Amino acid sequence: MAPPPARLRLDGETWLLVLTGAGVSAESGIPTFRAAGGLWESHPVEQVASPEGFAADPALVWRFYSERRRKARACEPNPGHRALVAIEERLGDRFLLATQNVDGLHGRAGSRRMVELHGNLFLSRCARCDRAPFPDEQEHDSVPRCEVCGTGLLRPHIVWFGEWLDPAHLQRIEAFMEEARSERFVFLAVATSGLVYPAAGLVSAARRAGGETWLVNAEPPENRLLFEHVVEGQSGRILPEFWTWA
Ligand code: NAD
């Protein structure tokens, strides 16, 4: 008989940093990037997810993201998203979720202490002026213009290939680890291939901060050997069951 899966023990003294990737939304019906063979809706990623692609054909990029908005809106959070909300409710400010997903499902499930490292499908910003990103649920058939500066094109608030992550997000994660390191610190990566940096480097940073490292993934990813505890399986099935409260 197979041994029972390892369980993560949490208590009121635990600090928990969670990193999620595209696989956490797979059971909600949103395909992972790699499952699509490196293509997004049959487009090479550079065409629809890079500043150069946007400069070359902004209308194509907006059609692509409008379709992704439509599809993401039709999906619902799954038990994996909800399990992270339940853990956050126990731990309060000792919890932080860093997600690479842009689909907004963690927020819709109820996650609050969260950084969306790669942006959010339902926010737009001006490609030209410094207007702050704003909520935008619309599906655009043509390229929308910024009403604030009057000249810039609006673009999805997504971190594209070749762009930098928001330094404020990385600072928030670093500050969390700094506070956590003097107590019991746990780092949990869920459903991420471990290939996209800087998120993929968080496990090493967590180890340097003395963290206990856990991974929940459908298959062993590239950086599997960096984790002390690995639980294989679908996050929507594993996450609700694999933690206990002491
Ligand atoms: P990835 O597609 O590279 O890897 C996903 C990982 O999840 C794989 O290791 C796979 O084995 C695992 N997985 C698949 N289904 C799972 C499940 N049900 N339970 C547990 N594990 C499962 O994704 P990535 O590493 O997150 O990087 C791709 C980038 O593409 C991300 O940075 C993200 O910004 C973007 N993306 C986002 C979404 C989204 O918002 N839902 C979807 C696709 C891509």
Side-chain angles (χ1 to χ4, degrees):
M1 223 167 60
R7 303 193 93 194
L8 170 62
R9 185 187 56 79
L10 298 174
D11 59 29
E13 307 296 306
T14 307
W15 291 75
L16 178 65
L17 173 63
V18 182
L19 170 70
T20 62
V24 87
S25 294
E27 289 153 88
S28 293
I30 300 183
T32 64
F33 177 42
R34 261 147 267 274
L39 296 176
W40 267 338
E41 312 289 341
S42 76
H43 296 288
V45 287
E46 315 79 54
Q47 208 173 58
V48 290
S50 74
E52 295 76 18
F54 186 68
D57 193 346
L60 170 72
V61 172
W62 265 117
R63 281 198 301 279
F64 171 74
Y65 281 99
S66 296
E67 180 64 5
R68 291 189 70 200
R69 281 183 178 175
R70 193 181 62 74
K71 287 192 171 155
R73 204 182 289 113
C75 293
E76 295 298 328
N78 66 53
H81 298 106
R82 288 194 289 272
L84 295 176
V85 177
I87 295 175
E88 180 180 350
E89 280 167 2
R90 297 276 192 157
L91 291 175
D93 289 338
R94 290 168 176 266
F95 176 94
L96 182 64
L97 170 61
T99 185
Q100 298 168 89
N101 296 345
V102 296
D103 55 37
L105 288 178
H106 282 300
R108 281 172 56 198
S111 289
R112 292 293 166 259
R113 294 163 180 90
M114 170 172 66
V115 286
E116 293 179 306
L117 292 168
H118 294 170
N120 185 308
L121 259 186
F122 298 100
L123 296 175
S124 295
R125 69 169 192 266
C126 179
R128 189 187 171 116
C129 74
D130 55 6
R131 174 185 187 181
F134 60 94
D136 181 9
E137 299 260 329
Q138 277 191 58
E139 291 158 32
H140 299 284
D141 292 332
S142 55
V143 184
R145 276 198 190 272
C146 174
E147 309 87 1
V148 173
C149 69
T151 51
L153 302 182
L154 293 186
R155 56 162 283 178
H157 184 54
I158 302 277
V159 180
W160 283 331
F161 288 92
E163 295 186 317
W164 296 100
L165 269 58
D166 183 343
H169 287 161
L170 299 176
Q171 280 157 12
R172 185 165 169 198
I173 294 171
E174 274 166 28
F176 183 89
M177 284 203 265
E178 200 46 49
E179 259 195 287
R181 65 184 308 150
S182 57
E183 296 190 51
R184 180 178 178 235
F185 171 38
V186 178
F187 173 71
L188 166 64
V190 182
T192 176
S193 59
L195 294 171
V196 183
Y197 278 82
L202 280 181
V203 58
S204 300
R207 287 175 68 134
R208 284 194 300 276
E212 193 180 308
T213 51
W214 289 73
L215 172 69
V216 172
N217 213 66
E219 59 190 12
E222 293 277 306
N223 60 355
R224 180 237 169 282
L225 289 175
L226 294 175
F227 291 86
E228 289 162 87
H229 308 274
V230 177
V231 182
E232 264 183 58
Q234 295 193 308
S235 50
R237 205 169 43 78
I238 304 283
L239 287 184
E241 311 245 302
F242 102 118
W243 61 283
T244 57
W245 185 258

